[in-house]
């Protein structure tokens, strides 16, 4: 019984570490995409980027991402005001 508890705790611990590592990798990629979009544009603020695919590391490794969503806020449109624009790309193949 004691060995079973140790195995269960170890598996749960490793699963938790894997989920956190996956989230950190996805957050880093989202931040890099946001930074590149911001630097290559005239946006007032860096855009919000969300990359889907769970687990993300497996999706990136296979070069297939379900979707990427980008949202840019405070875009000044002449004679209209500031707006928020968003775009989503689905079924992406990374090269």
């Amino acid at each position: 019984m004691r060995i079973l508890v140790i195995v269960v705790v170890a598996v749960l611990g490793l699963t938790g570490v894997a989920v956190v590592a996956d989230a950190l990798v996805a957050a880093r990629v989202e931040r890099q995409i946001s930074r590149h979009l911001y630097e290559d544009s005239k946006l007032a603020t860096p855009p919000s980027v969300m990359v889907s695919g769970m687990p993300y590391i497996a999706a990136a490794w296979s070069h297939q991402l379900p979707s990427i969503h980008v949202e840019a806020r405070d875009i000044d449109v002449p004679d209209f005001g500031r707006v928020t624009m968003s775009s989503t790309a689905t079924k992406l193949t990374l090269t």
Side-chain angles (χ1 to χ4, degrees), residues 9-31:
V9 169
V11 168
L12 290 175
L14 289 173
T15 302
V17 168
V19 168
V20 169
D22 188 69
L24 290 173
V25 169
R28 180 178 167 88
V29 169
E30 291 168 350
R31 186 174 59 246

Side-chain angles (χ1 to χ4, degrees), residues 42-46 71-77 81-85:
K42 296 179 182 177
L43 295 173
T45 59
E71 183 175 284
R73 295 185 178 106
D74 297 333
I75 298 173
D76 194 24
V77 177
R82 291 186 179 191
V83 298
T84 297
M85 293 186 179

Side-chain angles (χ1 to χ4, degrees), residues 3 5-6 8-9 13 32 48 50 60 70 75 80-81 86 89-90 92:
I3 293 174
V5 170
I6 292 171
V8 168
V9 169
Q32 288 176 339
S48 170
M50 186 179 93
V70 179
I75 298 173
F80 189 77
S86 66
T90 59
L92 299 153

